[in-house]
Each structure stands twice: as C-alpha cells, then as structure tokens.
Amino acid sequence: MADIRNNFVGIKSPNPFWLASAPPTDKAYNVERAFKAGWGGVVWKTLGEEGPPVVNVNGPRYGAIWGADRRLLGLNNIELITDRPLQVNLQEIKQVKKNWPDRAVVVSLMVPCQEESWKAILKPVEETEADGVELNFGCPHGMSERGMGSAVGQVPEYIEMVARWCKANTRMPVVVKLTPNITDIRYPARAAKRGGADAVSLINTISSITSVNLDTFSPEPSIDGKGSHGGYCGPAVKPIALNMVAEIARDAETRGLPISGIGGITTWRDAAEFMALGAGNVQVCTAAMTYGIRIVQEMISGLENWMDEKGHKDLSSIVGRASGNVTDWQYLNLNYIAKAHIDQDLCIKCGRCHIACEDTSHQAITANLNGARHFEVKDEECVGCNLCVNVCPVENCITMVPLAAGVLDKRTEKPVVADYANWTTHPNNPGATCVTG
C-alpha cells in the first residue's frame, strides 16, 4: 500500500490531511475528535496577544452560495480570531500534543506588527511543545481593520520583516499564511522566503459579500440590519487557490519553498491536484464544516487507492509532478488540434450542446438531422473550444479527440503539425514560423 506519511518542514504526521485554522480547531474538544477520526494534523485557530478580549458577533456569522441542488459551493464568514482566553488555549494545546504525539499541531498567530508583540507570543507557544507556528497574514475582515491579518499580508516588506522577527525568536518552523487579496501572489511568497520562513500556506479567504437581502437591503449575514465583507472559502475558491499554488511552485525565486495548500479541498482528488501542483500537504476547513470531520477517512482511503492504482509509492512521487506542465500562454502548441465527438449511445438528446454552440460559439453542432432529434459535430466548424463538453449533463458523452499529426484539419484545409521539426525555429519562441500548415 502507498505510504502517505507526511514530513512537512520537519513536522511529521501520519497523512497529509490537516484541519486548517478555523472554527473546527478552536478548542481541544474539536481537535481531539478530529484526531480520533484520522486527521494527520491541525492548525489551531488563530491566537492573539493577551489584553482586551476579542469579541465576536452574536448573530449570524456565515453567508453562503449554493448550487441548484442546495449543495454548498462557497461560504463567507465574518468570524474573528479565537475569543477564548490565551492561557486556556495554550493549556489545551499542550495537553492535546501530549495526548497525540504522532499528530501535527501547528499554532496560528496574529498580533500587532511590532517585534515585541511577536516575541512575547512565541515563547509561551513554544512551551506547549507545538510543532510549529503559522503567521496569519491572510484574514481579510475584522482584524485587518486593526492593522493585522491581510493588512500585513498585502505588504511584502511587512511579511519579510515579521517572518525575520519570528525566525529570530523561536526554534519552531515558521509557516507564513498568504492572503489571496493581492494582485500577484509571487511577491508576498518571495518576501516570506527572504524573511527566512520555512514554508508558506495558501490561500486564506477571499474578501467578499455573498448576497444582499432584497427585503432589508442588508448584506448577508445581516447583523441588526447591517452587514460587512467577510472571507470567502469552499469549493468555489479551489481554482484560484490552485493557480496561486502553481505560481509559487514554478516561480524561479520561490521554487522549492514548501507549500501547504488550502482552498476548497473536499475530496482526495482535490488534495492530489494541490500536491501535484507543488503543495507538500493540504489543509481543509469548509468540507469538514459541511460534512463533518469523518470526511477525512474518505480522503485517506481515496488517496491511498489512487496511488496504489497508479504505482505511486509515497507522496514524494506526486508532489510537484504537474507544476512543470504549467506554462505561459505564449508557449502553448498552437498546432495541437482536438475536435468534439458525441457518443450517440450516451446522448440523451437534450440539445444543450447545440444551443450553447449555436447561440454563443461556432455553430459547429447540427440538430435534427433527417427529421429526428439528433446532434452531430461539424468538424469543419469545430475549433475545439470544448464548451459542449462542459455544458453536457452526461459525463463522457462528449469528448475531445486529438487529431494525429498530418491529418487534414477540415476547417482550415491544412495539415495538423505536431512535429516540431516542421518549425523554422523552436516553437517556444513567440516569433517562430511554421513551414507546413
């Protein structure tokens, strides 16, 4: 059986599935239940400095986006960092780590952007025997208005400075959690690396308003008729997270920097995709809040079964395997051609492919041939956009079939060139010209 034991910057856990810093990791009760269910580690919900208590709202904290079947696609939250006393959290962290020495316990931290504040919080956390710390530079609401969270994460110079402070004041590995609320994720990642951070984790939540109540004209969740922007997470943010992980993994200045992947991970397949793009492990929140913490058992068995089937012996054989296949648009092979093909045995004659193509694309799907409800692809008009594949309600009914080298493209009446020998210069040169076709 595949070995899915994980070693992330020296932090060992029996599998790569960690619960992210969030409500599921706010107290020992939740964390103990998570470990019993099989989670490899947790990032304890963000601790702040001693002082005036953090006060959360006592009304709704979540807004949501649902699919047509009421399946949760995205969750918006306006909850702040832990509102439990610092000393209570520290005592519980120490006890949990003592009870579960084989599990990863990382502590998320957020304090004012002053060296003494960071130095003061690191010492008691270190005394709990926690495995590491995660610097929360990502929270986009509530705390950011106080000069913390994403207010720090949006300034690379601050990231580098605080990371350097923490590395100078603790023996524990330092993970920097990055905000997606920024133009280019590579800049904060580079800053974290310059500051000596051992790893980065991403993405934190996306600043958002999920909906507006059209009776009260208040954003949801509504607190006494008022609303605020919150942090968006869940399956809907996965594509954004995957891209940002890939950007860091393939950037020349951050290549090799360990990454903990976060963002909409719900299944083992999601986790495998993150790891294939360069993440050394993954963190999960919304899926656990939606389906319960036992969801990790499906993730573990699914990953193990897939790795066995594909012959992957351990996690190192999949981490980063896809990052080299992420490239800039200008380097894509423009002579690669694929055409849509409809499997008539699977087709349910709904016509969605025809309508989508006819109304919004290239009029490449015919309808009602010979008086029957029947749909066919016109190769000479099909540009291979695969919109029909994505709107078809039947899996694998429509597939994209690549044309072999030398096959005539009916649309252009030119041969498909799949042999780089036919180019006058290397195809990765934007100025390259083709000899045939």
Side-chain angles (χ1 to χ4, degrees):
M1 180 172 286
D3 182 359
I4 64 168
R5 288 177 297 178
N6 187 234
N7 187 334
F8 186 74
V9 297
I11 302 173
K12 297 180 180 179
S13 56
N15 61 64
F17 301 106
W18 294 5
L19 278 177
S21 169
T25 62
D26 191 33
K27 59 177 72 73
Y29 177 83
N30 290 353
V31 173
E32 294 264 2
R33 284 176 57 83
F35 285 162
K36 290 175 183 175
W39 290 91
V42 301
V43 181
W44 204 277
K45 185 172 180 180
T46 307
L47 309 185
E49 63 181 351
E50 287 189 287
V54 171
V55 180
N56 272 294
V57 296
N58 291 313
R61 299 182 184 182
Y62 303 108
I65 297 292
W66 298 277
D69 60 355
R70 186 68 180 184
R71 183 168 301 183
L72 187 69
L73 301 180
L75 196 64
N76 167 292
N77 87 89
I78 59 170
E79 186 165 306
L80 303 181
I81 66 175
T82 183
D83 51 14
R84 304 169 70 237
L86 176 61
Q87 291 305 317
V88 171
N89 275 299
L90 293 172
Q91 291 167 8
E92 291 186 0
I93 292 168
K94 185 171 185 175
Q95 188 61 50
V96 167
K97 185 58 188 176
K98 181 179 179 181
N99 295 345
W100 298 87
D102 68 324
R103 307 303 172 94
V105 178
V106 175
V107 181
S108 178
L109 300 175
M110 183 193 294
V111 296
C113 204
Q114 301 165 355
E115 184 172 8
E116 286 305 311
S117 295
W118 285 99
K119 186 175 180 179
I121 192 75
L122 286 167
K123 188 175 185 302
V125 170
E126 198 169 270
E127 292 172 352
T128 67
E129 301 297 325
D131 297 294
V133 291
E134 183 180 79
L135 314 186
N136 185 344
F137 295 154
C139 185
H141 58 274
M143 306 307 293
S144 57
E145 287 92 325
R146 309 180 194 190
M148 293 179 277
S150 63
V152 176
Q154 291 168 337
V155 185
E157 293 80 5
Y158 290 175
I159 293 174
E160 179 180 353
M161 177 177 66
V162 178
R164 201 179 302 279
W165 288 343
C166 291
K167 285 299 296 179
N169 286 286
T170 184
R171 59 163 178 79
M172 298 179 290
V174 173
V175 181
V176 171
K177 191 172 188 179
L178 302 179
T179 177
N181 302 297
I182 195 165
T183 305
D184 191 331
I185 196 65
R186 294 174 298 176
Y187 292 106
R190 292 169 184 172
K193 186 175 182 180
R194 288 195 303 270
D198 297 280
V200 292
S201 60
L202 67 150
I203 60 174
N204 206 311
T205 53
I206 299 171
S207 187
S208 63
I209 293 176
T210 52
S211 61
V212 174
N213 185 312
L214 293 180
D215 291 321
T216 63
F217 293 99
S218 170
E220 299 286 2
S222 178
I223 306 297
D224 194 26
K226 301 290 184 181
S228 175
H229 72 278
Y232 194 53
C233 57
V237 311
K238 176 190 164 188
I240 298 168
L242 285 175
N243 177 61
M244 290 187 169
V245 165
E247 286 293 283
I248 294 172
R250 71 189 189 98
D251 180 41
E253 295 186 38
T254 54
R255 191 175 296 127
L257 179 66
I259 301 169
S260 184
I262 313 169
I265 298 163
T266 306
T267 68
W268 70 264
R269 186 177 295 274
D270 297 331
E273 290 175 9
F274 271 85
M275 289 188 282
L277 284 174
N281 69 4
V282 294
Q283 298 182 34
V284 179
C285 172
T286 307
M289 295 178 70
T290 306
Y291 303 109
I293 55 174
R294 292 174 67 86
I295 193 174
V296 72
Q297 295 171 9
E298 295 179 10
M299 294 180 175
I300 291 171
S301 61
L303 182 63
E304 287 177 337
N305 291 339
W306 171 74
M307 291 177 65
D308 285 340
E309 179 184 334
K310 298 296 183 180
H312 300 300
K313 296 186 182 301
D314 54 37
L315 296 178
S316 65
S317 67
I318 64 173
V319 171
R321 283 285 290 274
S323 60
N325 292 327
V326 181
T327 188
D328 294 336
W329 193 96
Q330 63 180 326
Y331 300 133
L332 297 177
N333 178 10
L334 300 187
N335 284 296
Y336 173 85
I337 296 177
K339 302 290 185 180
H341 172 74
I342 301 174
D343 186 329
Q344 298 301 332
D345 292 332
L346 293 176
C347 181
I348 60 173
K349 318 300 181 186
C350 68
R352 288 177 63 179
C353 60
H354 166 68
I355 292 299
C357 190
E358 189 73 16
D359 289 355
T360 67
S361 292
H362 301 279
Q363 297 76 53
I365 298 180
T366 61
N368 301 323
L369 294 179
N370 301 321
R373 191 167 177 80
H374 183 84
F375 303 94
E376 291 279 359
V377 176
K378 295 186 287 185
D379 281 355
E380 65 273 17
E381 299 298 335
C382 178
V383 301
C385 73
N386 91 325
L387 174 62
C388 56
V389 175
N390 291 310
V391 301
C392 178
V394 180
E395 188 174 8
N396 296 323
C397 176
I398 307 179
T399 54
M400 301 303 297
V401 181
L403 271 63
V407 173
L408 192 68
D409 179 355
K410 294 179 181 179
R411 188 175 63 87
T412 63
E413 296 300 324
K414 294 180 180 180
V416 176
V417 179
D419 184 353
Y420 289 155
N422 291 315
W423 290 73
T424 56
T425 80
H426 194 277
N428 283 3
N429 180 346
T433 58
C434 185
V435 173
T436 62

